[in-house]
Amino acid sequence: MSSAQKVRVRFAPSPTGGLHLGGVRTVLFNYLFARRHGGDFVLRIEDTDQTRFVEGAEEYIQRCLEWCGLEPDESPFKGGPYGPYRQSERKPMYREFALLLVESGKAYYAFDTPEELEYMRSSLKTAENPNPQYDHRLRMQMRNSLSLPQEEVDRLIQGGAPYVIRIRMPEGETIGFRDMIRGEVTFQTGQVDDKVLLKADGMPTYHLAVVVDDYHMKITHAFRGEEWLPSAPVHLLLWKYLGWEESMPQWAHLPLILKPDGNGKLSKRDGDRLGFPVFAMDWKDPKTGELTKGFKELGFLPESFVNMLAMLGWNDGTEQEIFTLDDLVARFDMDRVHKGGAKFNFDKAKWFNHEWIKFYPAEGLYELVEPLFAAKGVVSASAGSRGAVTRERIVDVIRLVKERCTFLTDFWDQSYFFFEDPVEYDMVAVGPKWNEKNKAFFEALSADIKQLVDFDAALLETNFKALATAHGIKAGELQMLFRVMLVGGKFGPSLFGIAAFLGKEKTAHRIDKAVAVFG
Ligand code: GLU
């Protein structure tokens, strides 16, 4: 890539299901790199394997990117100057390049049936070649345009025999490239098999399509998971054989996200086993109906999700952990991505979300929390509507409880008592403390509250304490009982703040009701 060239990166998922944490992190690093360098971020759907295509997966990917705030500049949904952005819609062009490779002797037709391939794997094992693969050692024993006479090849093709096109990997070359994270990486071509480039259905495989598309879409940097490193020699040769070496993108192979307990890639099964999601958003498999949980529905803020992902394998060299997307754009650098895998830690993920909820303005949380309240029957309305809760009031509640919420879904449990009377009381806490003396105190408190003209937290607290002294009881003990009367349990924000928020009628009503229940 020349220095004047505009940075162009791509995220190239196959639409085969939900989007895993690792996938979203790849999106994020692409996005950050593009923004940092004033470049373009492309979403390309790699749907050439029709057997793995899953209905709805493409739209799901688009929604995930939207939720995360990592929207592409060009995509199948948005269009753009280098479309189409779905490989299945680019089918004819791949064939053309596969044929060019055959013409130049860099690829060949292979006619082997599935049974013949199976025979190779099971019967051509030798001590020197214990895992036979379709490569320079065996290709002349198989049925292809290198081993068969030309007339036979022509006859087969004209007769419509199914064939694939395979790359002809050279026997003894050392090839390499400079990975932006790993530095120099080299490969022995003789150890790599003759990968299929074009399948019998005329669709390219990933190997051919990725090179043809990265070239035609003018991709300057390609970031993908470490699991693709073994395929790099095939891609390197294709860039060379197609005469595009000068335009080859710079590559970075991103480290794996590892399971929290042990080694190996974090899988959906680890999430199920340890009780946390590994997908960005809920994903329902259209074939099995199985639902896999996502971070969004668990109650993550997109900002904290993205922040947490950025820190899986990257830091800016300081102790800082909380970053907005803008901060990340300003600081992100591929040089600081670690080579080693990053262990996923769900407690740390929760910590990020809690920090973000604390740090987020209550006004800003309104849009996210209000639907959760509405689902519980809280009718919100603009100020003045009767029977409805105003936006201001909901924002006040959010402000009062947000320190206590790890997930957005915690807001209801932490604040339902602002909207409805408690239905149950923590009698384990109340029982040992409840007696005639305390009962008399609360009867007096209720009567006192009912005749107040002004009612605010400070006044109530002063009156409460004076009344406790008059009754000869410690205020601390009474406060616990008062809290259970108002919220049902020993939790919640400032007690007198809650009472002030409820207002004098509701506060007195809850005291009377609890006194009756406590007996
Ligand atoms: N389609 C590949 C995948 O789903 C993309 C790999 C790449 O980015 O080159 O992982």
Side-chain angles (χ1 to χ4, degrees):
M1 164 196 155
S2 73
S3 56
Q5 215 176 338
K6 186 174 194 193
V7 164
R8 287 179 56 79
V9 298
R10 85 291 191 283
F11 175 56
S14 300
T16 54
L19 199 53
H20 189 276
L21 286 176
V24 190
R25 195 193 51 179
T26 304
V27 175
L28 176 62
F29 287 2
N30 271 291
Y31 178 92
L32 296 176
F33 191 85
R35 290 292 162 272
R36 167 104 201 234
H37 297 282
D40 298 325
F41 170 43
V42 176
L43 170 66
R44 180 174 73 221
I45 298 290
E46 303 209 325
D47 58 350
T48 56
D49 188 349
Q50 313 240 289
T51 57
R52 291 179 66 223
F53 179 82
V54 177
E55 199 63 46
E58 218 178 277
E59 293 72 17
Y60 168 92
I61 291 166
Q62 166 73 8
R63 275 187 285 118
C64 284
L65 269 51
E66 234 171 73
W67 176 63
C68 292
L70 305 173
E71 286 187 72
D73 302 300
E74 297 165 31
S75 76
F77 302 94
K78 213 173 166 189
Y82 299 92
Y85 293 92
R86 232 177 245 115
Q87 287 183 332
S88 57
E89 293 168 16
R90 305 168 68 83
K91 188 175 169 185
M93 78 192 282
Y94 304 116
R95 178 176 191 83
E96 180 191 323
F97 292 106
L99 293 177
L100 270 177
L101 290 166
V102 174
E103 252 166 60
S104 61
K106 304 299 187 194
Y108 58 91
Y109 298 107
F111 304 97
D112 316 86
T113 63
E115 295 73 34
E116 286 163 340
L117 292 171
E118 189 42 48
Y119 175 80
M120 170 197 74
R121 280 186 285 266
S122 56
S123 309
L124 297 183
K125 270 188 207 148
T126 58
E128 305 84 67
N129 195 3
N131 296 309
Q133 47 176 8
Y134 210 118
D135 62 10
H136 64 92
R137 280 172 288 196
L138 289 185
R139 66 167 81 101
M140 294 312 280
Q141 297 179 50
M142 305 301 291
R143 280 199 321 125
N144 55 55
S145 57
L146 301 177
S147 63
L148 299 171
Q150 185 60 46
E151 311 80 73
E152 175 70 357
V153 172
D154 293 344
R155 195 186 59 76
L156 284 167
I157 290 179
Q158 274 148 31
Y163 62 82
V164 301
I165 293 179
R166 288 181 181 269
I167 187 169
R168 181 182 190 170
M169 289 300 284
E171 194 177 325
E173 286 180 22
T174 303
I175 54 170
F177 71 98
R178 207 186 145 66
D179 186 276
M180 291 170 76
I181 299 171
R182 280 148 224 274
E184 260 351 288
V185 188
T186 55
F187 304 88
Q188 301 303 322
T189 56
Q191 285 168 10
V192 183
D193 60 324
D194 291 353
K195 293 257 183 288
V196 172
L197 301 179
L198 198 77
K199 294 179 283 187
D201 63 2
M203 276 289 194
T205 58
Y206 163 65
H207 305 296
L208 177 64
V210 73
V211 173
V212 170
D213 286 347
D214 282 352
Y215 174 74
H216 286 98
M217 294 184 176
K218 295 201 164 46
I219 299 302
T220 58
H221 298 78
F223 310 140
R224 59 185 182 184
E226 176 183 284
E227 64 273 25
W228 294 110
L229 198 54
S231 305
V234 178
H235 306 166
L236 281 170
L237 288 179
L238 288 174
W239 280 96
K240 186 169 152 198
Y241 293 164
L242 290 165
W244 301 333
E245 220 172 357
E246 297 284 287
S247 315
M248 196 178 100
Q250 290 185 52
W251 283 340
H253 289 83
L254 306 175
L256 295 177
I257 298 181
L258 304 172
K259 50 182 102 240
D261 53 348
N263 293 317
K265 188 173 167 179
L266 175 72
S267 70
K268 196 162 91 63
R269 228 172 316 125
D270 297 318
D272 294 344
R273 181 170 59 85
L274 300 166
F276 56 76
V278 302
F279 281 0
M281 284 164 58
D282 277 4
W283 163 253
K284 191 164 174 205
D285 189 298
K287 289 203 192 89
T288 61
E290 188 200 353
L291 180 82
T292 308
K293 296 242 174 249
F295 279 84
K296 175 177 187 266
E297 290 78 5
L298 183 64
F300 266 74
L301 287 170
E303 288 87 345
S304 71
F305 183 60
V306 160
N307 187 169
M308 177 274 289
L309 281 177
M311 304 312 285
L312 281 175
W314 175 85
N315 65 59
D316 75 341
T318 72
E319 296 289 300
Q320 186 175 339
E321 291 186 284
I322 300 294
F323 291 91
T324 64
L325 194 55
D326 286 344
D327 293 339
L328 289 171
V329 168
R331 310 276 181 81
F332 184 75
D333 209 328
M334 218 24 105
D335 298 352
R336 294 206 59 89
V337 175
H338 318 313
K339 265 204 271 287
K343 265 194 196 312
F344 179 68
N345 177 340
F346 186 55
D347 287 328
K348 188 74 195 195
K350 289 202 293 197
W351 176 84
F352 273 108
N353 209 47
H354 190 206
E355 289 301 301
W356 266 94
I357 287 179
K358 284 200 289 190
F359 159 86
Y360 222 84
E363 251 314 315
L365 289 169
Y366 175 83
E367 301 299 337
L368 301 164
V369 173
E370 191 276 330
L372 300 171
F373 283 2
K376 297 289 184 183
V378 173
V379 185
S380 60
S382 50
S385 312
R386 293 190 55 203
V389 185
T390 62
R391 179 186 178 108
E392 287 66 33
R393 222 167 141 75
I394 292 181
V395 170
D396 284 344
V397 167
I398 292 173
R399 187 172 300 113
L400 283 170
V401 304
K402 72 196 189 80
E403 294 268 335
R404 296 161 192 276
C405 299
T406 301
F407 303 118
L408 290 172
T409 42
D410 290 339
F411 272 90
W412 180 251
D413 289 340
Q414 289 297 334
S415 58
Y416 68 88
F417 49 82
F418 287 111
F419 308 103
E420 53 190 47
D421 289 357
V423 274
E424 268 174 25
Y425 298 102
D426 180 353
M427 292 310 288
V428 176
V430 171
K433 305 284 178 194
W434 192 244
N435 54 38
E436 285 305 318
K437 249 179 112 182
N438 289 344
K439 185 176 172 196
F441 167 84
F442 280 104
E443 282 164 353
L445 180 66
S446 170
D448 181 54
I449 289 173
K450 283 174 192 154
Q451 53 78 41
L452 284 176
V453 179
D454 295 324
F455 187 74
D456 64 41
L459 178 68
L460 178 62
E461 185 168 1
T462 310
N463 286 8
F464 186 97
K465 288 185 172 155
L467 198 61
T469 310
H471 280 246
I473 315 174
K474 283 204 193 88
E477 184 169 309
L478 296 169
Q479 286 191 23
M480 185 279 284
L481 291 166
F482 191 26
R483 180 175 288 282
V484 177
M485 289 175 166
L486 297 186
V487 315
K490 295 195 292 180
F491 64 94
S494 140
L495 177 60
F496 298 103
I498 297 173
F501 189 93
L502 291 171
K504 72 173 197 174
E505 276 82 22
K506 280 199 182 131
T507 301
H509 164 76
R510 288 193 190 182
I511 295 171
D512 297 346
K513 195 172 153 190
V515 167
V517 174
F518 294 178

